[in-house]
Amino acid sequence: MSTGKDNKSESATLTIFARGVSVALNPTKFSGSSSQVRIDDEPQAVYLVIKYVPALVTPGKHRLNHTQFRIELQDPAGPPLFNHVIAGEIEVTVVGNTHKGKLIGVVVTTSGPGTPETANISGDYEIVVD
């Protein structure tokens, strides 16, 4: 469950409820930078990207409302991509290069033509970013 770099302690316990199905992510790959994290569950072809407003994620503990972060989520059912955050918060603590986050009531929808589909995301993650 790492990117292959030494001294990395990375984990995620995330659940996605979309299209009437609840899916637990089993992360196989982690990556990130100071302004975003990415968690991949390659066997299920699922990924979650969380993009923060960079000025808001400095060392310390932060609580971001749904207007202060973006999400890209590809769930196991495939396209379309969930990418429009409509509710929720993320608590993120930054210590050095480590981001520890908790998704609280996060709701994202698909965008584009037709009726948007909704996904709920909850859980915790810890990622060492570059």
Side-chain angles (χ1 to χ4, degrees), residues 98-116:
T98 301
H99 288 215
K100 292 182 182 181
K102 178 178 182 116
L103 286 80
I104 305 163
V106 173
V107 181
V108 293
T109 64
T110 56
S111 57
T115 303

Side-chain angles (χ1 to χ4, degrees), residues 24-41:
L25 263 70
N26 296 304
T28 55
K29 186 177 175 185
F30 299 88
S31 59
S33 67
S34 61
S35 62
Q36 78 173 31
V37 295
R38 180 178 172 127
I39 302 162
D40 288 90
D41 179 340

Side-chain angles (χ1 to χ4, degrees), residues 20-73:
V21 177
S22 184
V23 176
L25 263 70
N26 296 304
T28 55
K29 186 177 175 185
F30 299 88
S31 59
S33 67
S34 61
S35 62
Q36 78 173 31
V37 295
R38 180 178 172 127
I39 302 162
D40 288 90
D41 179 340
E42 295 169 316
Q44 293 190 84
V46 175
Y47 69 84
L48 172 67
V49 178
I50 302 169
K51 297 179 180 182
Y52 314 116
V53 174
L56 299 177
V57 185
T58 56
K61 187 172 183 176
H62 311 280
R63 191 170 185 115
L64 308 177
N65 70 47
H66 74 280
T67 65
Q68 297 171 313
F69 62 91
R70 293 185 3 214
I71 289 206
E72 293 176 9
L73 167 67

